């Protein structure tokens, strides 16, 4: 590891019998103990609530922090990890500054396809986070790269926002609502029955159906703890009506993870993915052979992890656990 890690990371307490090697029965036991007693407002992402979670405890946090910060490459999800809506989550500025100061390689990897890298960069700048346009990789960019690998200079009928349109244009694709090679669906508020109807018609006449990601929901920017429909939900009516299953490019597809590794220039063993969703971030890391950190500041609560047949490498309360020297 280059440079010096935060004090708590470089001087971790002796954690004795803590077993952090997967598959960890200790991790399963601790999650079960912490969630056997129901807690109200499990998805409250405020710092004071997250710090009151019954687990992870201080010793676990210190050891997890040490191991995570020893990585060279960081794949970081955005919504639920970096921010919720227009609210920056605790510890983000300090963590990004630490990554930069210590020469770590990092990329913000988002399954959302609606915004361009420049828009994401400007959003983080408004929230006070220093970043560069090259630090972002979206499912729209991954989708454009995939389509180009399958059919260079092709055409698409797109149900999506500017981030998706721009990514496809940048790869030489043209928009076509008559006889496209692909129907591509991403996040958008510009959604209508007429677009669904036309997409079904095109798919039934030979267009391939592509989803930028399979997320059914995203965190609601307006109502903390609630969700809004995402690309996976928007494409479902087209699948049902046409009888054709979509191919999803974004997380957890290993294609997206390999693209992120390529951007970083790091090996899998040197890299960690930090996310808030078991079904995309953590599963994607698992299937790509990359260590994962689940943070409880987004969609997945500690209670939610018990329904899955796999576990992340580490569970932390939020990004602040990677920089908070108190461990509490």
């Amino acid at each position: 590891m280059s440079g010096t890690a935060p004090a708590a990371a470089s001087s971790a307490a002796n954690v004795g019998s803590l077993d952090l090697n997967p598959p960890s029965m200790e991790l399963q036991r601790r999650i079960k103990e912490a969630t056997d007693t129901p807690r109200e407002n499990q998805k409250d992402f405020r710092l004071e609530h997250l710090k009151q979670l019954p687990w992870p405890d201080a010793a676990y946090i210190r050891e997890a922090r040490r191991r995570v910060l020893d990585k060279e490459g960081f794949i970081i999800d955005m919504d639920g990890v970096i921010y919720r809506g227009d609210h920056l989550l605790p510890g983000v500025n300090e963590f990004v500054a630490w990554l930069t100061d210590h020469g770590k390689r990092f990329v913000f990897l988002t399954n959302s396809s609606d915004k361009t890298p420049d828009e994401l960069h400007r959003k983080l700048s408004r929230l006070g986070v220093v970043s560069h346009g090259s630090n972002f990789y979206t499912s729209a960019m991954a989708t454009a790269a995939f389509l180009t690998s399958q059919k260079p200079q092709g055409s698409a009928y797109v149900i999506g926002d500017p981030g998706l349109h721009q990514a496809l244009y940048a790869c030489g694709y043209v928009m076509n609502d008559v006889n496209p090679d692909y129907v591509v669906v991403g996040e958008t508020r510009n959604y209508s029955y007429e677009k669904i109807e036309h997409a079904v018609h095109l798919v039934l006449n030979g267009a391939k159906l592509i989803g930028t990601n399979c997320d059914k929901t995203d965190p609601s920017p307006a109502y903390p703890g609630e969700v809004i429909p995402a690309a996976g939900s928007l494409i479902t009516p087209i699948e049902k009506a046409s009888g054709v299953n979509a191919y999803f490019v974004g997380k957890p597809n290993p294609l997206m993870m390999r693209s992120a590794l390529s951007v970083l220039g790091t090996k899998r063993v040197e890299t960690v993915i930090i996310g808030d969703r078991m079904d995309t971030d953590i599963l994607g890391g698992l299937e790509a052979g990359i260590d994962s950190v689940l943070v409880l500041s987004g969609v997945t609560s500690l209670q939610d992890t018990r329904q899955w047949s796999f576990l992340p490498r580490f569970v932390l309360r939020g990004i602040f656990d990677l920089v908070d020297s108190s461990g509490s």
Side-chain angles (χ1 to χ4, degrees):
M1 180 173 69
S2 60
T4 303
S10 60
S11 59
N14 182 2
V15 295
S17 62
L18 273 183
D19 174 16
L20 301 186
N21 295 313
S24 174
M25 296 301 293
E26 177 76 358
L27 180 56
Q28 296 180 46
R29 181 186 67 79
R30 285 165 172 261
I31 290 175
K32 183 177 186 302
E33 286 182 353
T35 57
D36 272 344
T37 302
R39 291 172 60 87
E40 295 182 359
N41 209 5
Q42 284 274 3
K43 295 182 180 178
D44 187 338
F45 63 86
R46 293 174 299 172
L47 180 61
E48 57 267 30
H49 171 77
L50 291 170
K51 283 200 170 187
Q52 291 172 5
L53 287 173
W55 186 84
D57 57 35
Y60 177 93
I61 291 170
R62 285 194 296 269
E63 180 66 5
R65 181 192 300 128
R66 182 186 69 80
R67 297 192 186 197
V68 171
L69 295 181
D70 198 44
K71 299 288 187 178
E72 291 299 325
F74 295 76
I75 300 171
I76 308 167
D77 184 38
M78 298 191 71
D79 205 345
V81 178
I82 299 299
Y83 53 71
R84 288 290 298 263
D86 290 323
H87 301 281
L88 190 68
L89 288 170
V92 170
N93 269 325
E94 295 85 349
F95 181 57
V96 173
W98 187 89
L99 293 174
T100 302
D101 291 344
H102 290 79
K104 301 292 186 177
R105 303 177 187 181
F106 64 95
V107 61
F108 295 113
L109 187 75
T110 175
N111 251 3
S112 296
S113 62
D114 52 337
K115 292 181 174 58
T116 67
D118 183 60
E119 288 174 319
L120 292 171
H121 168 64
R122 285 189 277 113
K123 176 171 183 172
L124 287 196
S125 295
R126 289 195 302 271
L127 295 175
V129 180
V130 177
S131 63
H132 304 282
S134 59
N135 290 133
F136 300 90
Y137 196 78
T138 71
S139 66
M141 298 164 70
T143 298
F146 168 73
L147 295 186
T148 298
S149 73
Q150 294 290 302
K151 187 176 179 61
Q153 307 296 313
S155 65
Y157 174 70
V158 177
I159 299 177
D161 279 355
L164 181 54
H165 284 269
Q166 180 171 310
L168 291 169
Y169 280 130
C171 285
Y173 259 64
V174 296
M175 303 301 107
N176 180 349
D177 61 1
V178 178
N179 57 349
D181 300 304
Y182 298 97
V183 169
V184 184
V185 180
E187 288 81 10
T188 182
R189 292 182 179 275
N190 188 21
Y191 189 74
S192 66
Y193 182 84
E194 288 74 17
K195 290 187 176 182
I196 299 172
E197 181 182 29
H198 191 58
V200 171
H201 164 71
L202 294 175
V203 170
L204 290 176
N205 283 273
K208 308 300 183 184
L209 184 58
I210 302 292
T212 58
N213 64 80
C214 62
D215 291 1
K216 296 298 184 183
T217 62
D218 281 330
S220 171
Y223 304 103
E226 297 184 13
V227 297
I228 57 174
S233 292
L234 301 184
I235 203 171
T236 297
I238 302 170
E239 291 182 301
K240 295 293 186 183
S242 67
V244 174
N245 292 327
Y247 181 74
F248 296 100
V249 179
K251 299 176 290 186
N253 192 328
L255 277 174
M256 182 100 165
M257 297 303 180
R258 286 198 289 269
S259 296
L261 286 175
S262 179
V263 170
L264 289 174
T266 56
K267 299 176 181 178
R268 289 179 299 174
V269 70
E270 301 172 327
T271 307
V272 65
I273 177 168
I274 305 172
D276 71 311
R277 302 184 70 114
M278 291 289 289
D279 57 344
T280 54
D281 304 312
I282 307 308
L283 180 58
L286 178 69
E287 294 188 344
I290 302 171
D291 280 349
S292 60
V293 177
L294 174 70
V295 292
L296 303 175
S297 53
V299 168
T300 304
S301 70
L302 198 59
Q303 181 73 35
D304 293 335
T305 62
R306 295 182 61 174
Q307 70 180 328
W308 297 93
S309 57
F310 57 89
L311 286 172
R313 185 71 170 81
F314 305 105
V315 178
L316 296 174
R317 299 168 297 180
I319 283 289
F320 67 90
D321 272 338
L322 293 172
V323 295
D324 184 359
S325 60
S326 69
S328 61

